[in-house]
Amino acid sequence: MARSLFYGYPPAMLDPRFDPAEAEPRIYQRWEAAGCFKPSMDTAAEPYCIVIPPPNVTGVLHMGHALNHTLQDVLIRFERMRGKNVLWQPGTDHAGIATQMVVERQLAEAGKGESRASLGREEFVKRVWAWKEQSGGQIVGQDKRLGISADWSRERFTMDDGLSAAVRKVFVELYNEGLIYRDKRLVNWDPKFETAISDLEVENIETPGRMWHFKYPLAPKENGEPETYTYVEKDEDGQIILEEERDYISIATTRPETMLGDGAVAVHPDDERYKPIVGKLCEIPVGPKESRRWIPIITDEYPDPDFGSGAVKITGAHDFNDYQVARRNNIPLYNLMDSKARMRSDGRAYAESARVAADLAKHPERSSDMDVSEVNLVPDAYRGLDREEARQKVIDDITAEGLAVMVTSDDGERVPLVEDKPIMQPFGDRSGVVIEPLLTDQWFVNAAELSKEARAAIEDGRTEFRPENWSKTYFNWLDNIEPWCISRQLCWGHRIPAWYDDKGQIFVAEDEESAQKLAGAGAVLQRDEDVLDTWFSSALWPFSTLGWPDETDEHLKTFYPGAVLVTAFDIIFFWVARMMMMGLKFGPKGEDGKPMVPFKHVYIHALVLDEKGQKMSKSKGNAMDPLDLVDEYGADALRFTMAAMAAMGRNIRLSKQRVEGYRNFSTKLWNAARFCQMNECQNWDGDLDPQSLSQPVNRWIVGALATAVTETTEALEAYRFNDAAGAAYKFVWNVFCDWYLELIKPLLNGGDEAAKAETRRTAAWTLDQVFKLLHPFMPFVTEELWDKLSEHGPARDGFLMLQPWPTFGDSAHDPAAKEEMEWVIDAISEIRSVRADLGVNAGAKVPMALVNADKTIAARLEAHREVIERMARLDSALIETEMPDGAISTVLGSSTLALRIADLIDVTEAKARLDKDLKSLDKELSGLAKKLANENFVAKAPAEVVEENRERLSAGKARLAKLKSAREGLDRLS
RNA sequence: GGGCGGUUAGCUCAGCUGGUAGAGCAUCUCGUUUACACCGAGAGGGUCAGCGGUUCGAACCCGUUACCGCCCACCA
């Protein structure tokens, strides 16, 4: 038509497609330049704050981030539009081990022979900083491509000066309260990175293992005669199945190399088999014969008599269970390995060490006042060997000596007893190597103490998990919490603010000067070499990023506590629990004078998995790069997918098809806007008063929009992102595009200028509300349309992202208009269905008659005749009192729709169609009748439910009658 | 060994407080009706894992069984 020329198009006419690659960076840049991401700091507005879970500074955006950040951005944009004073606090985490690894790898790849060791600590840390400045924080740029509206001007890094000061302050205060302490304990040691790690950083993985059985010979009696006892084995019924004289005790182990450090053999106190030898000594059957050690046979509740031989070797320095047993029984702890988990070469010579140990075995009471760390019980032949090598050598040596427990194999040969058996083996989550329990001096946080308040705050609802059941997981962990090992033998991180004098005394202070004061002027101090666990600083993130400890800081006062923490369940322990602990210890105080929780809600979202439900990982090669998806489909499509799939389940299986589908949705929106633009339905100035509308179709769409907005709003308030996205999607595509835009075409093309103007105004206004409604999910395309559609209308009042979120009063809903339009829609749908089912050519226009119509229905047809004819492809739509000849009819509410198509179709098909309808209706009615005949139902079900069923029954009966008469009409035709 | 969660259409999953089973994709049929083929119209497809119980009424609540996940845990 000439319309476009007339209105001055096409210059400003929208392209047929949205081009995300072109538009997204441009739009983002405009937002950022205009300061749209900063909080309004409007004192009248309710503050709303989310602190981002800081990605590792080494990180690149993966699907997990894409989901996590999208959900937060949806909330942030939503609340910002709702007029709150919104801060999204971004930043990155220094990620101790991960970052150190990256830089070390780079040094190695550079091939200049530089390494952490060769550079020395100071220089190495400099290099890490240089790396951080140059290539760290890539993820921020990638976030921007996603449309993330965090306040980048407030970006923080866990090792910024301010945050580092916060770390020192917290450390010192906890130390002074005795909640941080230094201790020599058995810790998880990562031999690759040569550092202690926390329990949480250990992954226990089932691996194939073996269990060997060895004989520990009993020590001879004082008179030199061999010690023996009668070993009796009974079955469940108490029948003796084995009885023999033994001069040894049989021990099962999966780690033979640790035998060198055994301090005792333990049996259960009730184990009758070993009663005769409890308190006696036995010999560790490895090492030079002349200096083998005797260790005591003790009783402890730990050994399970039904497992293995029932006797357990106790190696307190290399096994967490044994450690507990050793501590309970005052058994010395002999460290056998160095920081690379090789057999030790340091300390005293073997012979001397063995002598000390032998003495200790006889006089265990002496061990407590003796430092055994210099005692190295690794025989010369084993020194320097790797764990695995040492293990094999122990096995070989013992077997050669005939001290392995032998069994008869299937072939009748005597062979050493070795059981293949899956064992849970600890691996470092970052290094992937087997963790070695190692006895070292480390710093610990008394987590049990701090967890009390952290637990209480969830119990009493100061903070709530969404979904709620995660609190169980949280409680379960807190209830079994162990001291948190916070020291790491790394370079990169917050150096522990502790100094030692030459006597080894500890002085903890926020800086060296203060430490010196504590120590006295003459003391020569040396700073602790270790750094803190990265999660220690992460735990402070909710307040350290806001300016703590400066309690006068405007942001700290305004934005703490945060509204919600959005994260995946895999870091509830690592991070959520620890933020709770630290927040409730150091956070800004509430009205009751106690530190407040760091956030009111913890929303736990799913993990993103691939299509097959596997965790995405680079090594598996199944990782999808969110940026690739952004390139291909646009950020909006990816974002919408994330929101739509974020049901409160456990995981999300992402498929490209899904993203493609939402890209199509964005195109659909684009084209709807294009249609509106073509019809001069754009950007009508001012608000719209629903009461001023006269056209039912317009009154109806406003109500439908209001319903959709309410649904989306309520869903977002409840973190039901999928419902929120779903409600918006449905309205836009299935209501606005599929029906409203089609229904108004006659009005827009018609001659009633008033109706046309009203419709343009309504369509334009509704479209604007749609932009707002979709904006949190699809910020780019909506902002672009908002902007583009203003070019020929009145100037827009600023960015879409800063527009107020739509709200509606009751006046938005007009039940009569709703009923009327739904009737129109049903009529069109019903006619279309009949036509398609009976194979009427889609292009053919057919005559239709409405029979049995009452006044209201007749009026509806009159009012909407044009659009019904158009959309149902009718050449006429008449009101009749008699069923016309040659008509195929269908029932719509209280009336019958008769299509005069008998000559176009196969009547038997039409009969079959009606028969099918009759059958299913009949079934439904008999069900209803049966239900209503049930006295219990009528008596006990709520009145409204009973009433509803009655109505359904009577409506169904009426329909049945009409269907029957329609069916009879068909019979007359043939 | 403890804890959590899953089993609904061919596939991937929704289904909030129990009241006529839904979506997307896929499939089939039709369609060049001037916003959109990244589209439109229509259709087919489900004993809601099994069994038992509570209830007038169960995909939903309770019990139990069977598979399948995940987390935690010290069986040498």
Side-chain angles (χ1 to χ4, degrees):
Chain A
M1 295 272 269
R3 199 195 297 131
S4 54
L5 287 175
F6 181 80
Y7 284 106
Y9 308 128
M13 185 65 202
L14 289 172
D15 295 332
R17 297 267 164 81
F18 175 57
D19 179 5
E22 179 279 318
E24 289 175 358
R26 168 169 53 76
I27 294 167
Y28 194 89
Q29 203 265 325
R30 283 179 58 216
W31 285 331
E32 201 172 14
C36 292
F37 305 155
K38 291 188 199 270
S40 65
M41 295 315 269
D42 174 357
T43 49
E46 185 186 335
Y48 184 91
C49 175
I50 297 180
V51 293
I52 204 166
N56 288 356
V57 68
T58 55
V60 289
L61 193 82
H62 58 59
M63 280 301 169
H65 295 124
L67 172 68
N68 180 258
H69 296 184
T70 296
L71 297 183
Q72 289 172 71
D73 199 48
V74 168
L75 292 173
I76 285 286
R77 286 180 183 271
F78 169 62
E79 297 294 0
R80 190 186 284 126
M81 290 175 83
R82 292 219 287 182
K84 292 186 186 170
N85 176 19
V86 170
L87 171 64
W88 188 4
Q89 172 62 54
T92 50
D93 190 292
H94 67 278
I97 289 180
T99 310
Q100 185 164 315
M101 249 167 84
V102 166
V103 176
E104 282 190 90
R105 197 187 309 131
Q106 284 199 337
L107 287 175
E109 282 167 7
K112 291 185 207 157
E114 289 175 334
S115 69
R116 171 160 61 123
S118 78
L119 290 173
R121 180 188 194 118
E122 204 176 322
E123 180 58 26
F124 178 75
V125 169
K126 261 190 204 164
R127 298 290 183 93
V128 182
W129 274 109
W131 176 87
K132 188 253 169 190
E133 297 308 330
Q134 207 193 333
S135 28
Q138 278 183 64
I139 198 166
V140 171
Q142 298 171 327
D143 263 336
K144 291 181 180 182
R145 295 202 52 204
L146 265 186
I148 295 311
S149 66
D151 183 359
W152 301 110
S153 70
R154 289 189 53 81
E155 194 184 337
R156 296 289 184 270
F157 178 56
T158 45
M159 280 172 65
D160 284 348
D161 289 344
L163 278 72
S164 299
V167 165
R168 289 193 298 272
K169 184 177 169 68
V170 165
F171 187 96
V172 171
E173 289 191 16
L174 287 175
Y175 176 81
N176 289 338
E177 283 188 55
L179 292 169
I180 280 182
Y181 54 92
R182 190 164 168 78
D183 194 11
K184 185 190 269 293
R185 286 176 59 110
L186 201 57
V187 297
N188 296 295
W189 185 268
D190 187 317
K192 178 171 174 189
F193 295 125
E194 299 180 60
T195 177
I197 57 177
S198 76
D199 301 348
L200 287 176
E201 290 160 279
V202 177
E203 276 184 294
N204 290 301
I205 300 173
E206 193 176 273
T207 38
R210 286 178 157 186
M211 196 157 73
W212 291 269
H213 295 253
F214 300 128
K215 295 174 178 175
Y216 281 41
L218 296 176
K221 294 180 185 169
E222 301 224 347
N223 60 14
E225 288 173 26
E227 181 79 60
T228 62
Y229 66 111
T230 308
Y231 178 85
V232 180
E233 186 88 46
K234 293 177 180 169
D235 66 11
E236 286 166 6
D237 306 323
Q239 299 295 312
I240 293 171
I241 52 174
L242 175 69
E243 185 169 354
E244 62 181 18
E245 279 303 289
R246 283 186 176 179
D247 58 358
Y248 66 88
I249 182 164
S250 175
I251 303 289
T253 181
T254 55
R255 300 205 54 197
E257 74 278 16
T258 64
M259 286 169 64
L260 297 164
D262 286 353
V265 166
V267 298
H268 194 274
D270 300 337
D271 194 334
E272 296 294 331
R273 295 171 296 180
Y274 300 114
K275 283 238 160 117
I277 52 170
V278 168
K280 304 243 158 68
L281 296 173
C282 61
E283 187 184 61
I284 301 172
V286 66
K289 278 200 171 170
E290 65 281 6
S291 53
R292 284 193 188 163
R293 287 189 296 125
W294 304 108
I295 53 174
I297 296 166
I298 62 166
T299 58
D300 192 273
E301 298 288 329
Y302 164 64
D304 174 359
D306 296 326
F307 187 85
S309 67
V312 184
K313 66 194 231 19
I314 301 301
T315 320
H318 288 280
D319 182 284
F320 285 98
N321 293 315
D322 293 5
Y323 180 72
Q324 298 297 336
V325 178
R327 298 265 284 213
R328 279 200 289 274
N329 295 282
N330 214 13
I331 306 294
L333 310 169
Y334 300 117
N335 185 16
L336 297 172
M337 296 178 203
D338 65 16
S339 64
K340 290 194 165 85
R342 293 174 310 208
M343 305 311 281
R344 286 173 67 180
S345 304
D346 66 333
R348 301 194 204 181
Y350 173 71
E352 191 194 343
S353 298
R355 222 165 19 245
V356 175
D359 183 52
L360 278 178
K362 283 184 193 145
H363 307 282
E365 72 282 358
R366 291 181 195 162
S367 68
S368 55
D369 33 68
M370 187 171 172
D371 179 9
V372 297
S373 63
E374 286 299 307
V375 174
N376 180 350
L377 289 170
V378 180
D380 294 345
Y382 289 80
R383 292 198 176 193
L385 292 185
D386 180 77
R387 282 177 287 189
E388 304 285 332
E389 294 168 346
R391 175 176 310 165
Q392 195 55 51
K393 186 164 167 55
V394 168
I395 295 163
D396 293 345
D397 288 353
I398 296 179
T399 308
E401 207 175 310
L403 287 171
V405 174
M406 306 297 279
V407 288
T408 306
S409 74
D410 296 343
D411 309 335
E413 284 178 52
R414 295 292 288 172
V415 294
L417 173 56
V418 182
E419 295 173 74
D420 285 316
K421 170 176 181 304
I423 52 171
M424 292 302 278
Q425 208 163 19
F427 291 87
D429 63 354
R430 281 238 123 71
S431 65
V433 302
V434 176
I435 294 304
E436 186 63 41
L438 215 59
L439 195 60
T440 52
D441 287 304
Q442 302 290 347
W443 290 93
F444 295 90
V445 168
N446 182 343
E449 182 60 33
L450 290 175
S451 72
K452 288 179 187 162
E453 201 48 26
R455 193 186 204 288
I458 298 286
E459 273 174 338
D460 62 27
R462 273 174 282 165
T463 295
E464 295 170 25
F465 276 96
R466 301 290 164 81
E468 197 279 325
N469 58 327
W470 285 108
S471 44
K472 277 185 198 162
T473 305
Y474 175 88
F475 289 146
N476 190 39
W477 187 67
L478 287 185
D479 291 345
N480 298 295
I481 200 160
E482 293 288 319
W484 173 17
C485 176
I486 51 170
S487 42
R488 297 288 179 275
Q489 287 67 50
L490 303 171
C491 298
W492 179 241
H494 298 101
R495 190 133 171 214
I496 290 177
W499 283 260
Y500 304 88
D501 67 9
D502 48 8
K503 285 176 277 204
Q505 274 187 289
I506 303 172
F507 303 95
V508 170
E510 289 184 43
D511 53 59
E512 183 156 12
E513 202 181 326
S514 315
Q516 192 72 56
K517 268 185 204 157
L518 288 175
V524 178
L525 295 183
Q526 203 149 20
R527 186 164 186 178
D528 194 307
E529 291 291 325
D530 294 348
V531 300
L532 287 164
D533 181 2
T534 300
W535 294 103
F536 190 87
S537 53
S538 310
L540 317 182
W541 186 252
F543 50 87
S544 64
T545 50
L546 296 177
W548 189 89
D550 175 8
E551 290 185 12
T552 65
D553 186 290
E554 203 57 38
H555 284 81
L556 187 64
K557 283 196 295 188
T558 308
F559 292 113
Y560 191 96
V564 58
L565 179 84
V566 178
T567 190
F569 58 81
D570 55 348
I571 55 173
I572 290 179
F573 305 147
F574 273 110
W575 196 43
V576 179
R578 285 157 177 177
M579 283 191 286
M580 292 293 288
M581 292 182 195
M582 292 303 192
L584 287 162
K585 184 75 187 168
F586 295 102
K589 295 177 180 66
E591 284 168 12
D592 59 358
K594 295 203 301 193
M596 290 184 282
V597 292
F599 23 71
K600 289 172 202 136
H601 294 151
V602 178
Y603 172 70
I604 300 292
H605 64 243
L607 252 34
V608 186
L609 307 176
D610 74 1
E611 285 157 295
K612 290 175 200 135
Q614 305 269 318
K615 244 183 175 173
M616 287 192 188
S617 74
K618 275 187 203 150
S619 52
K620 280 188 206 151
N622 62 347
M624 289 170 91
D625 184 343
L627 296 173
D628 287 348
L629 291 171
V630 170
D631 285 339
E632 195 170 352
Y633 301 110
D636 291 326
L638 179 61
R639 291 172 58 109
F640 205 92
T641 308
M642 292 297 175
M645 297 185 85
M648 293 221 195
R650 285 278 170 147
N651 40 46
I652 293 176
R653 296 192 188 189
L654 186 67
S655 78
K656 248 178 141 170
Q657 282 185 329
R658 197 78 188 242
V659 185
E660 189 180 329
Y662 291 119
R663 187 276 318 269
N664 295 352
F665 176 58
S666 145
T667 307
K668 185 77 181 173
L669 173 71
W670 183 266
N671 278 293
R674 207 158 153 261
F675 171 82
C676 288
Q677 187 189 44
M678 284 174 172
N679 288 282
E680 200 62 353
C681 307
Q682 58 169 314
N683 186 29
W684 231 266
D685 199 18
D687 212 350
L688 186 91
D689 175 12
Q691 302 291 9
S692 72
L693 300 173
S694 62
Q695 295 295 324
V697 69
N698 290 332
R699 295 177 73 88
W700 160 73
I701 195 65
V702 172
L705 169 72
T707 302
V709 169
T710 304
E711 282 172 10
T712 298
T713 304
E714 287 177 356
L716 283 180
E717 284 172 340
Y719 305 102
R720 285 183 286 118
F721 295 92
N722 58 322
D723 289 339
Y729 180 97
K730 253 192 178 142
F731 174 74
V732 173
W733 198 317
N734 303 123
V735 180
F736 185 71
C737 291
D738 286 350
W739 289 106
Y740 180 72
L741 292 185
E742 295 300 328
L743 292 168
I744 63 173
K745 279 178 180 173
L747 290 169
L748 293 173
N749 295 323
D752 182 340
E753 290 305 323
K756 192 187 286 187
E758 175 190 302
T759 302
R760 283 178 174 165
R761 194 153 56 97
T762 308
W765 178 83
T766 305
L767 188 62
D768 278 355
Q769 309 318 304
V770 163
F771 295 156
K772 294 181 196 172
L773 180 65
L774 288 176
H775 183 264
F777 307 98
M778 307 188 119
F780 291 112
V781 69
T782 50
E783 186 75 74
E784 177 75 349
L785 287 170
W786 174 262
D787 179 55
K788 280 265 162 64
L789 262 56
S790 80
E791 285 182 20
H792 288 268
R796 294 286 201 182
D797 183 18
F799 290 100
L800 174 64
M801 72 169 282
L802 301 177
Q803 297 303 311
W805 185 253
T807 53
F808 296 90
D810 290 343
S811 70
H813 297 277
D814 177 356
K818 182 168 185 271
E819 200 183 327
E820 180 168 345
M821 295 318 297
E822 281 172 358
W823 181 86
V824 172
I825 288 168
D826 287 348
I828 294 166
S829 301
E830 190 60 32
I831 298 165
R832 282 171 169 175
S833 175
V834 172
R835 291 177 57 121
D837 277 356
L838 301 184
V840 177
N841 188 305
K845 295 198 169 183
V846 300
M848 188 275 282
L850 183 66
V851 189
N852 295 330
D854 63 25
K855 268 189 190 165
T856 317
I857 303 297
R860 281 181 190 163
L861 180 63
E862 293 296 345
H864 301 283
R865 170 170 285 123
E866 196 182 345
V867 77
I868 292 171
E869 285 180 356
R870 178 193 158 96
M871 292 181 72
R873 308 245 89 204
L874 303 174
D875 63 7
S876 63
L878 304 173
I879 293 164
E880 306 274 10
T881 48
E882 295 288 316
M883 187 70 78
D885 290 338
I888 303 301
S889 43
T890 181
V891 178
L892 177 68
S894 58
S895 47
T896 301
L897 295 171
L899 291 173
R900 304 238 305 273
I901 52 174
D903 46 344
L904 297 175
I905 57 145
D906 180 353
V907 175
T908 50
E909 262 184 54
K911 284 181 185 169
R913 185 178 191 275
L914 274 181
D915 285 340
K916 202 181 118 200
D917 283 358
L918 276 165
K919 200 175 156 195
S920 75
L921 182 59
D922 209 48
K923 196 175 154 197
E924 189 192 332
L925 290 181
S926 67
L928 282 170
K930 199 173 151 196
K931 204 183 217 182
L932 285 163
N934 182 344
E935 284 173 30
N936 277 324
F937 174 70
V938 178
K940 292 184 182 173
E944 51 192 55
V945 174
V946 177
E947 187 51 33
E948 190 198 319
N949 277 273
R950 285 207 174 105
E951 276 168 21
R952 230 192 291 158
L953 182 63
S954 69
K957 277 180 178 165
R959 183 178 162 81
L960 188 70
K962 292 195 178 64
L963 280 178
K964 274 185 175 156
S965 101
R967 182 67 180 77
E968 283 157 16
L970 281 184
D971 281 337
R972 283 195 298 275
L973 277 180
S974 46

